C-alpha cells in the first residue's frame, strides 16, 4: 500500500483540473483580481446554497469571526463565551475585538461546547456565544440558541469545519445572528490560498460587515468609518465557484468514508469511534477517534505509512496564550481527558475503501 497522506489536495485537483484551470485563466484574462464578477458570483452562489440572504466574503475564516464580532458591537469590557476545544482563531478574535474569551467545557461524546455549562459562565458583561461545529459535528445548537435568546446574547456560529453539516434538516450556519466560514485549502470547501466569508440574514449587519472588511467604504473613497483590508481575491472566488458544483457530493463521500471507518473500528475495545448527534448530519471535516495509547498508536500508523494528526494537542485555555486566566483541569474535565486520547485519521472524498480498510487493519494490529 502506498503512503496515505493526512490530506491529499492534489487528488481532488486532478478530478476537476479542467474547470479549475479555466476558472484561473478567465480570471486573469479579465483581470478580476480584487472584487468584480468572480467575487460577486461566489457570494451569490454560496448564499443561495445556504438559503441565506447575505454572504460577505473576506480574506480568511479568522477575519470572518473578527469582523462579525466588531460589527455586532462587541469590544472593551465585554465577555464572549466559547468552547475550550477549537482552533485558536475562535478565541484570539474575541481578544482582538477587545473582549475577553470565557471558555466552557465540551460535551462528553461530541467535542462541542456543553450547553449545560454555559449559564454558569454568563455575567452582566457577556455579550455573545460562539459555538464551534467542531470536526463537522453540529453543536447542540437549539439549546445554545435558547440560552442566547434568554440572556439576549448574540450567537455567532463558527462553521470553519462544518460546511454543509445540518441539524433537524437545517444547515449549520443558519441558526445564529451570523456564521463564519473558512475556505483554507484543507477545509471541506477549500480555496488555493486563504479565503473566508460570513453568512447572515440581517441586512444592516451585512452592510456594516461588508463596509468594515473594505476600509469602511461601500463606495470608493466614501469611508463612513475606519475598517480593515480583508478581501476575498478574484482567483480564490473563481476557484471556489468551480468547486461548488461538487461540494455536496464530496460531503457525502466524506460521510461514506466515516461509515467505512465506523464498521472496521467498531469492535476494537480500546478505540471509541465518533458519535454523530441524533437528528443531524456530520460533515466529517475530521474523523476523530479516542484511542488508548494514542501516541504509540500514532507512531505505529506512521511506521506503516499512514499519516494522522491531533486536533488539537491542547484545549485552548491550557495554552500559554491564556495562562493569565488560570483555567484548571478540574474546571474543564472533559476537554482535559480528551486531549491525551484524540487522534484524527485521514478523511477526504478521494480516499478509497481499500485505503480505509488498510488503516483499520493497522489500528487493529496495534492492539493485538
Ligand atoms: C480553520 C479555522 C478557523 C480559521 O480559518 P482561517 O481561514 O484559517 O483563518 C476558525 N475556526 C476554526 C474552528 C477553524 O478550524
Amino acid at each position: 500500500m502506498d503512503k496515505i497522506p493526512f490530506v491529499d489536495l492534489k487528488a481532488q485537483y486532478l478530478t476537476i483540473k479542467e474547470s479549475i484551470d479555466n476558472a484561473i485563466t478567465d480570471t486573469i484574462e479579465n483581470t478580476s483580481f480584487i472584487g468584480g464578477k468572480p467575487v460577486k458570483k461566489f457570494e451569490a452562489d454560496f448564499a443561495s446554497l445556504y438559503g441565506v440572504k447575505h454572504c460577505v466574503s473576506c480574506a480568511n475564516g479568522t477575519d470572518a469571526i473578527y469582523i462579525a464580532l466588531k460589527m455586532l458591537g462587541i469590544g472593551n469590557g465585554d465577555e464572549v463565551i466559547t468552547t475550550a476545544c477549537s482552533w485558536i482563531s475562535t478565541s484570539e478574535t474575541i481578544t482582538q475585538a477587545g473582549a475577553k474569551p470565557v471558555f466552557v467545557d465540551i460535551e462528553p461524546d461530541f467535542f462541542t461546547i456543553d450547553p449545560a455549562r454555559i449559564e454558569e459562565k454568563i455575567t452582566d458583561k457577556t455579550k455573545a456565544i460562539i459555538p464551534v461545529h467542531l470536526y463537522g459535528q453540529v453543536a447542540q445548537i437549539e439549546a445554545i440558541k435558547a440560552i442566547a435568546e434568554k440572556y439576549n446574547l448574540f450567537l455567532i456560529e463558527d462553521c470553519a469545519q462544518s460546511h454543509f453539516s445540518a441539524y433537524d434538516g437545517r444547515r449549520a450556519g443558519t441558526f445564529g445572528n451570523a456564521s463564519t466560514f473558512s475556505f483554507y485549502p484543507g477545509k471541506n470547501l477549500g480555496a488555493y490560498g486563504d479565503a473566508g466569508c460570513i453568512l447572515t440574514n440581517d441586512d444592516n449587519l451585512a452592510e456594516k460587515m461588508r463596509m468594515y472588511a473594505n476600509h469602511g467604504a461601500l463606495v470608493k473613497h466614501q469611508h463612513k468609518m475606519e475598517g480593515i483590508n480583508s478581501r476575498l481575491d478574484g482567483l480564490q472566488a473563481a476557484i471556489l465557484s468551480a468547486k461548488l458544483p461538487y461540494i455536496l457530493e464530496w460531503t457525502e463521500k466524506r460521510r461514506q468514508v466515516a461509515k467505512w471507518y465506523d464498521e472496521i473500528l467498531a469492535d476494537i475495545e480500546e478505540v471509541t469511534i465518533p458519535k454523530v448527534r441524533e437528528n443531524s448530519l456530520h460533515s466529517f471535516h475530521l474523523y476523530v477517534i479516542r484511542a488508548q495509547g494514542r501516541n504509540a498508536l500514532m507512531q505505529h500508523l506512521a511506521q506503516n505509512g499512514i499519516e494522522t494528526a491531533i486536533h488539537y494537542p491542547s484545549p485552548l485555555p491550557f495554552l500559554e496564550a491564556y495562562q493569565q486566566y488560570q483555567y484548571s483541569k478540574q474546571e474543564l474535565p472533559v476537554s482535559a481527558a480528551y486531549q491525551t486520547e484524540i487522534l484524527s485519521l485521514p478523511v477526504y472524498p478521494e480516499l478509497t475503501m481499500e485505503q480505509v480498510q488498510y488503516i483499520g487493519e493497522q489500528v487493529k494490529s496495534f492492539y493485538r
Side-chain angles (χ1 to χ4, degrees):
M1 179 72 62
D2 285 340
K3 271 187 122 153
I4 304 176
F6 186 68
V7 286
D8 189 351
L9 301 178
K10 179 98 181 262
Q12 186 183 75
Y13 168 60
L14 294 177
T15 66
I16 52 166
K17 186 175 183 312
E18 207 183 317
S19 48
I20 293 283
D21 292 355
N22 288 340
I24 292 172
T25 308
D26 286 353
T27 308
I28 295 172
E29 281 183 356
N30 296 324
T31 65
S32 321
F33 299 124
I34 298 285
K37 250 199 212 154
V39 172
K40 285 213 171 70
K41 178 173 166 36
F42 174 71
E43 287 183 337
D45 290 349
F46 197 67
S48 108
L49 252 181
Y50 267 82
V52 163
K53 272 166 94 177
H54 306 280
C55 169
V56 178
S57 60
C58 60
N60 55 66
T62 308
D63 280 3
I65 306 169
Y66 175 71
I67 293 164
L69 283 166
K70 285 290 279 190
M71 293 302 101
L72 284 168
I74 287 151
N76 283 336
D78 296 337
E79 292 177 359
V80 176
I81 289 175
T82 193
T83 172
C85 293
S86 184
W87 174 241
I88 194 167
S89 299
T90 316
S91 49
E92 70 185 350
T93 46
I94 296 171
T95 309
Q96 281 160 14
K100 176 186 170 188
V102 175
F103 297 105
V104 169
D105 206 3
I106 53 171
E107 287 178 273
D109 295 335
F110 296 112
F111 305 106
T112 52
I113 190 169
D114 187 348
R117 308 293 302 274
I118 292 178
E119 283 191 85
E120 66 200 59
K121 300 277 184 165
I122 294 176
T123 70
D124 52 9
K125 293 178 178 165
T126 310
K127 290 283 149 49
I129 309 176
I130 311 183
V132 180
H133 305 301
L134 198 71
Y135 310 152
Q137 173 99 266
V138 186
Q140 217 185 109
I141 195 68
E142 280 189 325
I144 298 164
K145 194 175 162 74
I147 295 169
E149 279 168 0
K150 180 173 165 192
Y151 292 91
N152 205 12
L153 308 174
F154 294 119
L155 179 61
I156 302 171
E157 300 174 74
D158 182 343
C159 296
Q161 302 191 2
S162 59
H163 310 72
F164 305 98
S165 298
Y167 179 75
D168 198 17
R170 190 169 154 189
R171 292 220 160 104
T174 61
F175 291 87
N177 299 85
S179 60
T180 62
F181 290 77
S182 165
F183 305 116
Y184 180 81
K187 297 287 160 83
N188 285 19
L189 178 60
Y192 288 179
D194 277 311
C197 82
I198 311 143
L199 295 183
T200 186
N201 279 316
D202 181 333
D203 300 339
N204 183 40
L205 177 63
E207 186 173 282
K208 283 208 283 200
M209 294 192 299
R210 195 175 289 289
M211 209 183 282
Y212 189 69
N214 187 36
H215 302 290
L218 285 176
V219 179
K220 202 167 190 174
H221 302 311
Q222 294 184 17
H223 305 278
K224 298 202 173 173
M225 58 178 170
E226 285 185 336
I228 59 172
N229 175 358
S230 183
R231 295 177 295 223
L232 174 65
D233 68 74
L235 281 171
Q236 301 309 335
I239 288 162
L240 289 168
S241 282
K243 284 187 168 195
L244 266 190
Y246 308 96
I247 187 61
L248 295 179
E249 182 189 321
W250 287 336
T251 308
E252 280 309 321
K253 284 192 175 157
R254 286 176 179 272
R255 290 179 185 133
Q256 176 62 255
V257 169
K259 227 179 253 169
W260 289 331
Y261 273 128
D262 286 350
E263 283 160 17
I264 298 166
L265 303 177
D267 57 351
I268 306 176
E269 216 176 294
E270 296 87 347
V271 168
T272 308
I273 58 174
K275 214 164 158 179
V276 176
R277 192 182 302 289
E278 218 175 292
N279 201 17
S280 84
L281 284 171
H282 198 304
S283 61
F284 287 103
H285 173 56
L286 295 168
Y287 186 91
V288 179
I289 60 169
R290 286 162 50 205
Q292 285 176 31
R294 189 267 317 267
N295 291 349
L297 171 63
M298 193 174 185
Q299 211 175 3
H300 169 80
L301 294 175
Q303 279 158 1
N304 288 284
I306 300 159
E307 198 185 355
T308 59
I310 299 171
H311 299 89
Y312 297 90
S314 171
L316 296 170
F318 303 149
L319 291 171
E320 205 177 323
Y322 297 112
Q323 234 173 20
Q324 78 251 42
Y325 299 129
Q326 300 194 311
Y327 280 85
S328 67
K329 291 192 171 172
Q330 288 77 5
E331 217 174 335
L332 304 161
V334 186
S335 307
Y338 283 14
Q339 73 173 315
T340 60
E341 302 172 350
I342 50 175
L343 184 67
S344 310
L345 303 179
V347 53
Y348 34 93
E350 299 77 19
L351 211 60
T352 65
M353 189 161 77
E354 289 68 35
Q355 286 174 308
V356 174
Q357 261 161 0
Y358 173 74
I359 297 168
E361 271 149 29
Q362 290 306 319
V363 174
K364 274 188 185 166
S365 77
F366 172 73
Y367 291 109
R368 253 190 239 119

